[in-house]
Amino acid sequence: MARFRRTLGLVLVCCLLVGAAPGIASETHIHSHTWEEIQKPSCTETGIKRGVCSCGDQIYEYPAALNHDWSEWVTTNAKCTSEGERTRTCKRDSSHKQTETLPKLPHNMTDWRLDKQADCTEPGKESRRCTTCDTEYKEREIKATGHAWANRIVKEAECEVQGLSERYCQNGCGISPEEQAIPVLGHNLGAKTVIKNATCSIDGEIRESCTRCSYYKTTPVPKLGKNQANGHNFSSYAKTKDPSCTAEGQETRTCRDCGRAENKAIPKLPHKSNGVWDVEREATLSQPGLEITRCIDCGAQASSRNFTPRGYRYEVPTSAWGPLASEYPGGGGSSLRLLYLDLSYDSDQRFALVTEDGWLIGFAHVTVANGAVRVSVEKKSEATVMRYRAWGMFPDAATAKAVNYDNSLPFDQAVKGPGESCVIALNMISNYYQGTGNERFSDGLVSPDGEASYGQINELMLQMAEGSEE
Ligand SMILES: [Zn+2]
Ligand SMILES: [Zn+2]
Ligand SMILES: [Zn+2]
Ligand SMILES: [Zn+2]
Ligand SMILES: [Zn+2]
Ligand SMILES: [Zn+2]
Ligand SMILES: [Zn+2]
């Protein structure tokens, strides 16, 4: 309505300007409209109002539609069998109505209920219904279970009798069981028992019994016969030949049933010694002598014994006679005998070879040349046996060790020495004669090389060893 007013006002201003231009004087007029309602606004349509001025000017206004003035909803509830509805009415005009449909409610179904149990061959049935309307109803089939087959034994089989089993329905539906035969077991023969042993002349018997029933089976064992060792009925042994010191004797037994004869040797008798010892082999330094007695009956050797003549000694440890290791500086507690050698000048010396029981039986011949040492052994008596000879060379008494055949340096050839001086050890095992050619040893004996005694030579070696220490 304000828009219409503005438009009319603009037209009015133009009229005034046109009227004023040629200088026409006019009085100023203010509209005064009188309103009348041409059409009232309804719920859905706008109204119309007209204003008229005394000057003939007209203006219009259009009041807005009122909209419905609704009452509360009036509802008819939905059910599981029918839809519901709600309606409201305009308070201004009862012919104005609005209606909405409400959807059906779901049926209120029970759980499935068992009407008929299925069995082996016939299906069962279950159903459910709506608890509200009591008209909605559903049913469905339950499958037949089929037979529940199982086997059972009606009668066990025996060794010689068939058994019986049957196939039946475990559900107890009344279907006839199917019978089936169980084959006979046969006998189960156990361990063999000897009922009667076979002998050389009579058959034996063996029995095998069934472990389930009283059945048994007997098997004969043929007699063993004469030409084997078992099952005879022997007499006791009787001597059939006397033994002597040169031939075995014999005793014999015979089977009373088959006549088999068995012989057994009787060992030879021992020789009977005449008690007279004769020399069978003379003693040498290589081996002791042998004496025997003879048998009175046959003259063969009856007994024997070794003999050692007076003065013969066997297997006696022997060494080159020098000071004990313990007497040397730094030599410790060793009872090894060591010879001290100065290697800074050439020399040729003989040292005593002395047995453990104190006899001089030869010499260690020691030659020093250009710092190398050569060792040879000389016997005093040609008959002496010297075995397991061994020698070793060491820088000093502190490093010296016992020597044996397996770790010996070579004899009769030069061996390079360890420096300015050394000690050597030499030993062996001897068989010798305490007499002609050998002599009882003492440190007062004079060496064959000069006027010094062996005791003095040892003193000298110890002094030299101490001198080289400083
Ligand atoms: Zn007017
Ligand atoms: Zn209305
Ligand atoms: Zn229902
Ligand atoms: Zn069945
Ligand atoms: Zn049996
Ligand atoms: Zn016999
Ligand atoms: Zn004899």
Side-chain angles (χ1 to χ4, degrees):
M1 189 156 55
R3 195 160 43 93
F4 290 110
R5 271 188 166 159
R6 204 155 43 236
T7 308
L8 292 170
L10 199 61
V11 170
L12 182 67
V13 169
C14 291
C15 289
L16 290 173
L17 288 174
V18 170
I24 303 163
S26 60
E27 230 173 275
T28 303
H29 169 77
I30 297 168
H31 294 303
S32 177
H33 293 105
T34 305
W35 290 96
E36 67 175 322
E37 190 169 54
I38 295 170
Q39 188 185 307
K40 284 187 171 184
S42 75
C43 291
T44 53
E45 311 244 323
T46 50
I48 304 172
K49 279 167 80 177
R50 182 172 58 196
V52 180
C53 182
S54 56
C55 69
D57 183 69
Q58 293 186 8
I59 57 173
Y60 293 83
E61 284 186 359
Y62 304 91
L66 299 173
N67 291 330
H68 300 293
D69 180 13
W70 294 115
S71 68
E72 291 297 303
W73 289 102
V74 176
T75 304
T76 306
N77 286 329
K79 295 179 185 170
C80 57
T81 47
S82 59
E83 291 172 334
E85 193 184 81
R86 62 176 189 173
T87 305
R88 55 182 182 177
T89 311
C90 182
K91 289 174 191 166
R92 254 187 289 279
D93 180 341
S94 65
S95 72
H96 296 166
K97 282 183 189 296
Q98 192 177 28
T99 301
E100 287 177 4
T101 303
L102 301 175
K104 274 186 193 172
L105 296 178
H107 292 292
N108 184 22
M109 301 304 278
T110 61
D111 290 336
W112 289 100
R113 278 183 215 143
L114 184 66
D115 298 323
K116 178 175 176 276
Q117 188 92 44
D119 64 21
C120 295
T121 51
E122 294 292 325
K125 203 180 82 181
E126 57 186 1
S127 64
R128 58 182 188 176
R129 59 183 69 243
C130 176
T131 54
T132 312
C133 65
D134 207 33
T135 55
E136 181 66 10
Y137 171 81
K138 287 202 163 108
E139 66 176 36
R140 65 182 183 189
E141 193 183 270
I142 304 169
K143 271 185 152 179
T145 59
H147 297 294
W149 293 113
N151 282 299
R152 65 186 165 204
I153 288 175
V154 179
K155 181 176 176 293
E156 297 280 4
E158 295 170 29
C159 294
E160 293 176 325
V161 182
Q162 276 192 345
L164 186 70
S165 71
E166 61 181 20
R167 193 170 88 119
Y168 70 103
C169 178
Q170 282 175 307
N171 295 341
C173 66
I175 191 167
S176 304
E178 294 167 18
E179 292 189 340
Q180 199 170 17
I182 303 172
V184 295
L185 298 176
H187 296 295
N188 183 40
L189 297 181
K192 292 180 179 178
T193 312
V194 175
I195 301 301
K196 197 172 122 194
N197 281 311
T199 72
C200 61
S201 320
I202 301 164
D203 288 345
E205 196 178 288
I206 280 174
R207 181 176 292 178
E208 293 167 90
S209 296
C210 178
T211 56
R212 276 191 294 267
C213 71
S214 59
Y215 171 86
Y216 62 86
K217 182 181 153 194
T218 304
T219 315
V221 180
K223 61 188 173 191
L224 303 173
K226 184 179 179 181
N227 298 319
Q228 52 80 49
N230 301 312
H232 297 291
N233 179 19
F234 282 117
S235 62
S236 50
Y237 278 107
K239 191 192 284 183
T240 46
K241 188 185 163 204
D242 285 323
S244 71
C245 64
T246 53
E248 288 175 337
Q250 192 185 67
E251 50 186 356
T252 304
R253 62 181 184 174
T254 308
C255 177
R256 296 183 193 95
D257 296 334
C258 71
R260 177 185 170 86
E262 284 185 0
N263 297 325
K264 191 167 81 171
I266 303 172
K268 282 181 194 173
L269 298 178
H271 294 298
K272 286 180 193 151
S273 172
N274 62 5
V276 180
W277 291 102
D278 292 327
V279 174
E280 176 72 3
R281 185 185 72 219
E282 290 293 351
T284 66
L285 285 174
S286 300
Q287 65 178 342
L290 186 71
E291 293 177 325
I292 64 168
T293 65
R294 296 199 174 273
C295 176
I296 294 169
D297 294 332
C298 69
Q301 178 180 319
S303 59
S304 70
R305 66 184 185 191
N306 284 333
F307 76 97
T308 303
R310 199 177 174 77
Y312 280 65
R313 290 290 179 273
Y314 296 93
E315 308 286 313
V316 186
T318 304
S319 56
W321 199 83
L324 295 171
S326 58
E327 296 178 82
Y328 282 95
S334 171
S335 59
L336 202 58
R337 289 196 177 274
L338 298 173
L339 305 175
Y340 179 87
L341 299 176
D342 188 336
L343 304 179
S344 62
Y345 61 92
D346 294 352
S347 62
D348 187 47
Q349 291 174 270
R350 276 185 284 183
F351 298 95
L353 287 179
V354 180
T355 64
E356 198 176 63
D357 51 3
W359 280 71
L360 174 62
I361 61 167
F363 303 101
H365 188 171
V366 179
T367 309
V368 175
N370 300 321
V373 179
R374 182 179 182 277
V375 175
S376 308
V377 169
E378 293 171 7
K379 298 176 190 173
K380 276 172 71 71
S381 160
E382 205 43 50
T384 300
V385 174
M386 293 176 173
R387 295 185 301 151
Y388 303 112
R389 297 173 192 194
W391 76 282
M393 177 159 58
F394 309 96
D396 52 33
T399 51
K401 290 188 195 99
V403 289
N404 62 52
Y405 183 71
D406 296 322
N407 64 14
S408 176
L409 293 171
F411 282 85
D412 306 317
Q413 67 189 71
V415 178
K416 183 87 183 87
E420 289 288 294
S421 64
C422 70
V423 294
I424 67 173
L426 187 160
N427 56 56
M428 63 190 68
I429 301 294
S430 306
N431 297 346
Y432 76 99
Y433 177 59
Q434 292 181 339
T436 315
N438 298 318
E439 61 184 311
R440 203 175 273 285
F441 177 77
S442 94
D443 63 1
L445 285 176
V446 173
S447 149
D449 294 333
E451 286 101 57
S453 71
Y454 291 113
Q456 288 167 332
I457 292 169
N458 277 10
E459 283 298 318
L460 197 63
M461 286 195 284
L462 288 174
Q463 282 169 22
M464 286 162 69
E466 271 158 33
S468 77
E469 278 290 294
E470 286 158 10

